[in-house]
Amino acid sequence: MRRLGLLFICIALIASAQHVRAEPPKVVASFSILGDLVGNVGGTSVAVITLVGPDSDAHVYSPTPADAKKIADAKLIFINGLGFEGWLPRLVQSSGSKAKIVTATDGITPLRLGSDADPHAWQSVGNAKIYVGNIRDALAAADPANTGQYRANAEAYLAKLDTLDRDVRDAMAKIPPARRKVISTHRAFGYFAASYGIEFIAPLGVSTESEPSARDVARIITQVKQAKIPAVFLENVTDPRLMQRISAETGAKVGGTLYSDGLTGEKGDAPTYIEMVRHNIKALTRALGD
Ligand SMILES: [Zn+2]
């Protein structure tokens, strides 16, 4: 009888342990690239919810009532910071969420974009490694029982990022120095340029929020001709028609798509951060190589 009682206690303990494991802490990431990084570190120990999903522009995002529900009971909210998620403070306030907000760019030396900080720090793989360290530490602090798992996941993922960083450097070093410049509609590659020595020339007066005027386009065409820019790139968050016209009038190659601020869906070219960077390396190499 006593043995049977002990057996029941054991079964109850196992059942409750499984129950705990079945409900991992809920954490939120503000946009798709950060969601992928958090998912790689959190693994099966967390449930990651991403607010700005694939192929969407976090700069001009308008939160929905569903977003407020998503963050209401989250334990952590991971943000990029550096002014990227201007819409977030109001969303957090309206949701009544008590989540701790973790800024993934803490410890990164920001570049300037005009008079503001440039938020696109993830475009340097070295910076992405800092994001991963911050994510690991925040998850471990919020969920100490799984610290070992977060450390192991982070270590494995950081090793992949080391390989990725080396591959970007090797690929860019093979492009002739005089050809290491592109024009791109979205000023998202400042950190990539600083890390890997490719010059990204942004057309003046063009943002993801408005279409350029005829005068803007004429200015850009002059710019491409004068600077002998070998390639122009389209991005998944801007209208491609502008770049096609510039290409037709200047002879610059349309280099395909460079992904900057958002991943693609599962079936796209850039469903993960690592695949995004690898896609961009390939596109740059094809457009600028001999
Ligand atoms: Zn951007």
Side-chain angles (χ1 to χ4, degrees):
M1 195 59 205
R2 193 182 289 168
R3 205 175 285 167
L4 198 62
L6 199 64
L7 184 67
F8 278 127
I9 290 168
C10 287
I11 288 168
L13 283 175
I14 290 165
S16 74
Q18 278 173 342
H19 183 68
V20 168
R21 234 177 279 139
E23 282 177 33
K26 192 171 141 186
V27 302
V28 169
S30 59
F31 72 117
S32 55
I33 293 168
L34 188 53
D36 180 49
L37 301 181
V38 174
N40 272 287
V41 181
T44 53
S45 303
V46 295
V48 185
I49 290 166
T50 297
L51 296 178
V52 184
D55 293 317
S56 300
D57 187 352
H59 289 286
V60 294
Y61 187 67
S62 299
T64 63
D67 290 331
K69 264 185 211 152
K70 283 180 193 169
I71 69 168
D73 61 342
K75 200 158 189 185
L76 297 174
I77 301 172
F78 289 95
I79 64 166
N80 183 75
L82 303 177
F84 191 53
E85 302 98 341
W87 41 268
L88 193 106
R90 229 170 108 188
L91 172 66
V92 172
Q93 201 184 17
S94 71
S95 73
S97 174
K98 298 281 183 287
K100 181 176 165 29
I101 295 180
V102 181
T103 304
T105 52
D106 271 353
I108 283 168
T109 307
L111 297 176
R112 309 304 298 178
L113 193 58
S115 57
D116 300 318
D118 182 346
H120 308 92
W122 62 85
Q123 285 293 348
S124 153
V125 179
N127 283 343
K129 290 173 62 183
I130 296 176
Y131 283 53
V132 168
N134 288 331
I135 292 164
R136 174 199 59 210
D137 296 347
L139 288 175
D143 179 24
N146 286 314
T147 297
Q149 196 57 54
Y150 300 134
R151 285 198 185 139
N153 291 347
E155 200 179 325
Y157 189 62
L158 286 169
K160 289 184 191 170
L161 293 183
D162 279 332
T163 305
L164 181 66
D165 190 54
R166 217 167 28 241
D167 290 348
V168 186
R169 281 174 205 290
D170 290 350
M172 296 306 109
K174 283 180 190 145
I175 297 169
R179 291 181 61 82
R180 288 179 196 164
K181 54 188 172 185
V182 300
I183 199 159
S184 159
T185 42
H186 189 174
R187 302 179 187 202
F189 295 96
Y191 292 88
F192 187 98
S195 293
Y196 306 116
I198 300 288
E199 195 182 351
F200 283 80
I201 300 156
L204 293 169
V206 180
S207 77
T208 56
E209 288 162 69
S210 59
E211 282 306 305
S213 66
R215 185 185 289 179
D216 291 333
V217 174
R219 201 191 296 138
I220 293 160
I221 286 166
T222 307
Q223 195 181 356
V224 171
K225 284 178 176 166
Q226 282 177 347
K228 295 194 172 64
I229 296 163
V232 294
F233 279 88
L234 312 172
E235 288 167 26
N236 60 340
V237 291
T238 51
D239 188 330
R241 285 172 297 186
L242 160 70
M243 297 307 248
Q244 281 158 356
R245 188 180 148 201
I246 294 167
S247 174
E249 294 196 25
T250 61
K253 211 191 271 183
V254 172
T257 300
L258 288 179
Y259 294 99
S260 58
D261 290 18
L263 301 177
T264 63
E266 283 298 321
K267 286 177 180 157
D269 294 327
T272 68
Y273 173 72
I274 288 176
E275 284 166 293
M276 177 189 86
V277 175
R278 291 206 179 280
H279 169 89
N280 288 350
I281 305 174
K282 242 184 269 167
L284 285 167
T285 303
R286 262 202 305 264
L288 300 177
D290 273 337

